[in-house]
Amino acid sequence: MSQPQPIDRRLVGRPPVRPKKRRNWFGRVIGLVVLLFLLTLICVPLYAWGRIDKVDAMPAGKRPAEGPGTTYLMVGSDSREGLSAEEKRKLGTGSVGGNRTDTIILLHVPDSGPPALISVPRDSWVEVPGKGKEKINAAFGNGNPKLLIQTLEAYTGLRIDHYVEIGFGGFASIIDSVGGVNVCLPKAMKDKLAHINLPAGCQDLDGTKALGYVRSRHTDGLGDLGRANRQREVIGLVADKAVSWQTFVNPWRYYKIGTSSADALTVDNDMGPFDLAKFGLAMRKVAGGGDGVSLTLPVANPNARRNGQSVVLLDEAKVKALVKALKEGKTAGLKSS
């Protein structure tokens, strides 16, 4: 039999020695990256929101009653304010003073159902409160959102809940921040007034070219209506790219889009970050082509003459039917046009 080993009294009473754990540096790095990613998703919108200009846009007095859903008025202002001489030259805006609008669009987001993006021709001949019959563009003379909202509400009977405005330079910067937009032209577009000369076919447009593309009204024979179609097209393309997964996984792109959009926009005092997010998501739905409708306010005569000027006469019966569908949340029955 083997003899028992002597006990080392120095080890008596000591806990067993455990092997040292390896530090999981890889896991810690991944955790830190995830934390920074989540902070970016939260902090960039908060930072951007603080940079957005706010304006007292809603008119006083009697207004249409609030209904289901949310209606946004989006205005593309032709103001050159803040643009340098070089930027004016690059964008081809000229140096016209004042503040008018090239774009008037209503976005209605129902409580359920597809959102509706509706262009209002800027030459629409309507009753402007206090001014009589004029082009609706005149209601925004000198950048007056209150009078424009009052005019639209009086004509349609639809309450406008929020206001979003973007200028020339801001529009171009947003296009550039998403990496441009791809459009397909059935034929070449050349318009000296809009400063564009585009070949036929599919092509990528940067901010400058996209601005000319949506401003042009002398290339397709449709005038203001053709321009409205292109405006809705490009707005939808931008919204689609801005809230795509490629944006959220790329912190630099996410930051650029957030800050450039913030610097470009002016919104009403009552709008909050949630309202603006709802606006962007609805725009993307319209761009997707499946869950959203895009159309122009019904027109009776696009080439009428009033007071010696060319104007657009709206089809009042069809406008009333459209507004009725919006108020009743029946956007699913509307057709894009």
Side-chain angles (χ1 to χ4, degrees):
M1 294 180 64
S2 59
Q3 298 294 323
Q5 297 296 320
I7 298 174
D8 188 343
R9 296 184 179 277
R10 292 175 299 177
L11 300 178
V12 174
R14 293 185 181 182
V17 178
R18 296 179 180 178
K20 292 184 177 180
K21 290 184 178 180
R22 295 182 180 179
R23 292 183 177 178
N24 188 358
W25 290 109
F26 180 75
R28 293 185 180 185
V29 170
I30 293 298
L32 180 60
V33 170
V34 171
L35 178 61
L36 291 175
F37 175 73
L38 294 176
L39 287 174
T40 300
L41 291 181
I42 297 171
C43 293
V44 168
L46 293 176
Y47 171 67
W49 180 252
R51 295 170 60 152
I52 295 178
D53 290 331
K54 313 295 191 304
V55 64
D56 182 14
M58 297 303 158
K62 187 177 180 180
R63 301 180 61 194
E66 294 184 5
T70 305
T71 301
Y72 299 82
L73 169 62
M74 183 169 60
V75 166
S77 166
D78 68 358
S79 172
R80 280 78 170 168
E81 184 179 354
L83 295 179
S84 66
E86 174 60 23
E87 288 172 327
K88 291 177 184 178
R89 183 198 63 77
K90 179 182 176 182
L91 297 175
T93 65
S95 299
V96 179
N99 192 349
R100 291 161 295 277
T101 174
D102 275 349
T103 307
I104 304 173
I105 294 178
L106 295 171
L107 172 66
H108 182 75
V109 186
D111 292 334
S112 62
L117 191 64
I118 307 164
S119 292
V120 180
R122 72 169 196 168
D123 290 342
S124 298
W125 190 249
V126 297
E127 184 76 24
V128 178
K131 295 189 175 184
K133 287 277 190 176
E134 289 197 34
K135 292 182 180 181
I136 198 169
N137 185 45
F140 191 72
N142 298 318
N144 188 349
K146 290 185 179 181
L147 183 57
L148 179 59
I149 291 174
Q150 189 180 9
T151 300
L152 282 166
E153 289 187 339
Y155 181 76
T156 64
L158 185 68
R159 187 182 180 94
I160 293 171
D161 301 293
H162 292 297
Y163 172 79
V164 180
E165 179 184 334
I166 183 170
F168 277 161
F171 179 86
S173 68
I174 291 176
I175 297 289
D176 288 332
S177 73
V178 299
V181 292
N182 185 268
V183 300
C184 296
L185 307 182
K187 62 179 182 179
M189 287 183 65
K190 185 175 183 180
D191 187 342
K192 290 183 178 180
L193 295 176
H195 294 264
I196 56 167
N197 186 2
L198 304 174
C202 296
Q203 56 205 284
D204 291 325
L205 303 183
D206 62 12
T208 301
K209 291 180 180 178
L211 178 61
Y213 177 71
V214 300
R215 289 182 63 206
S216 177
R217 60 186 303 190
H218 302 287
T219 57
D220 57 8
L222 297 176
D224 204 26
L225 301 184
R227 175 164 62 178
N229 292 338
R230 289 188 293 276
Q231 289 168 350
R232 295 198 309 274
E233 174 194 9
V234 171
I235 289 170
L237 291 172
V238 172
D240 189 44
K241 295 185 73 172
V243 296
S244 66
W245 66 268
Q246 290 96 331
T247 296
F248 291 96
V249 299
N250 185 332
W252 175 239
R253 171 171 165 159
Y254 184 67
Y255 174 82
K256 282 180 62 180
I257 293 174
T259 54
S260 64
S261 299
D263 292 340
L265 297 178
T266 297
V267 302
D268 66 271
N269 286 334
D270 295 329
M271 183 180 284
F274 176 78
D275 299 308
L276 191 58
K278 184 178 178 181
F279 172 84
L281 291 173
M283 283 290 189
R284 187 171 190 261
K285 286 184 178 181
V286 175
D291 191 16
V293 290
S294 177
L295 64 157
T296 298
L297 214 60
V299 171
N301 187 347
N303 299 303
R305 302 290 299 182
R306 293 291 186 275
N307 297 343
Q309 55 186 329
S310 177
V311 303
V312 173
L313 297 183
L314 299 173
D315 189 321
E316 296 188 4
K318 291 183 178 179
V319 169
K320 288 181 180 179
L322 171 61
V323 171
K324 184 174 184 291
L326 298 179
K327 287 183 174 181
E328 295 176 353
K330 297 179 180 178
T331 55
L334 301 176
K335 295 182 179 180
S336 293
S337 61

